[in-house]
Amino acid sequence: MNDYEVVIRGLANMLRNYTSEVSIVELDANKRVGRPVDVALYDTFAATQGDRDEIRRLIANPEVERVAVYTWNFTPHLADDSMSHGVCGYLSKGLPARELVKAIQQIHEGQVVVSPKPSHSGAAATGGDWPGREEGLTEREAEVLALITQGFDNAAIADRMGLSPNSIKSYIRTCYRRIDVANRSNAILWGVKHGFTPDHLRITDTADINRTEDKK
């Protein structure tokens, strides 16, 4: 579950050898989920973290049996806060495909699964995809740029990503160097041109789904 199509497709490609064990169904504004979802994998790229209202609404969705957060963000309180809202898994994006599938299966069986904290913050992504990867942006840099493109200021980005303002400034500097821009306005223009605006709006409950269907 993510607002960026490239993120969803990247995960599907990562799990392409496990289609007999898992299948991906996306919950978004463009289509209704046709059958109940066993595990909703909430990808935090350019989204709020697992301790916010979006997670509570997802857990309350009658179409969803269990919810797991899929993230790089292992700020100490986040896993505990996510679990307190009813999340059944807190999974690292550093997991290889076979371990991610195993974790999803364990969550489906009723277990609570929390990945170990990554050994260092600069760990490379094992799989998946994100906007700007082909331009050399890391996932964290791309996430910052996606939030800039959506109009968030540095303070809001820091809050949304659970990072310090200084960390956000550091990611912005390296991001600007990679895409060869000098200011925020040019970064936004670059982001819009290169797919950093969300592809769709997320549906959070059945009432919203019905309203969306009525408008079609």
Side-chain angles (χ1 to χ4, degrees):
M1 181 173 179
N2 186 271
D3 293 333
Y4 289 82
E5 191 72 15
V6 67
V7 173
I8 299 294
R9 298 304 161 213
L11 178 65
N13 185 60
M14 177 182 172
L15 301 180
R16 65 189 181 277
N17 293 324
Y18 296 88
T19 54
S20 63
E21 299 171 66
V22 294
S23 59
I24 295 177
V25 179
E26 186 180 359
L27 182 63
D28 62 43
N30 299 315
K31 61 183 178 182
R32 182 196 295 268
V33 174
R35 62 180 184 271
V37 175
D38 296 317
V39 179
L41 193 62
Y42 177 87
D43 190 305
T44 61
F45 178 88
T48 55
Q49 301 303 309
D51 62 339
R52 306 296 174 93
D53 288 342
E54 286 81 355
I55 285 291
R56 286 191 285 268
R57 287 195 293 265
L58 183 58
I59 289 169
N61 191 309
E63 307 257 23
V64 178
E65 184 177 356
R66 293 183 175 86
V67 176
V69 174
Y70 189 47
T71 185
W72 278 119
N73 198 337
F74 277 75
T75 301
H77 69 88
L78 278 177
D80 290 341
D81 289 352
S82 299
M83 297 297 170
S84 72
H85 294 321
V87 166
C88 298
Y90 201 84
L91 307 180
S92 170
K93 289 191 175 184
L95 292 175
R98 66 182 181 280
E99 292 184 19
L100 178 59
V101 169
K102 180 180 178 181
I104 292 171
Q105 291 172 328
Q106 289 173 330
I107 291 167
H108 175 51
E109 293 165 358
Q111 300 180 46
V112 174
V113 181
V114 180
S115 297
K117 181 180 178 180
S119 57
H120 57 94
S121 59
T126 301
D129 206 352
W130 54 88
R133 186 175 191 175
E134 70 282 0
E135 305 291 342
L137 293 173
T138 67
E139 187 175 24
R140 283 293 184 90
E141 292 165 354
E143 185 171 12
V144 169
L145 181 56
L147 293 170
I148 288 173
T149 304
Q150 292 180 44
F152 291 98
D153 62 21
N154 287 9
I157 293 171
D159 177 67
R160 204 171 181 88
M161 294 182 66
L163 298 173
S164 71
N166 285 337
S167 293
I168 297 303
K169 290 177 183 178
S170 178
Y171 282 122
I172 289 173
R173 285 194 297 269
T174 58
C175 174
Y176 283 11
R177 284 199 299 269
R178 291 189 196 277
I179 65 176
D180 193 26
V181 301
N183 56 56
R184 206 176 195 92
S185 296
N186 286 336
I188 291 172
L189 291 173
W190 193 97
V192 170
K193 182 178 179 181
H194 290 83
F196 280 79
T197 50
D199 296 296
H200 47 72
L201 298 174
R202 184 176 302 150
I203 288 296
T204 56
D205 58 42
T206 304
D208 285 340
I209 292 174
N210 291 336
R211 284 195 293 272
T212 300
E213 291 294 324
D214 290 342
K215 292 177 182 178
K216 292 183 178 179

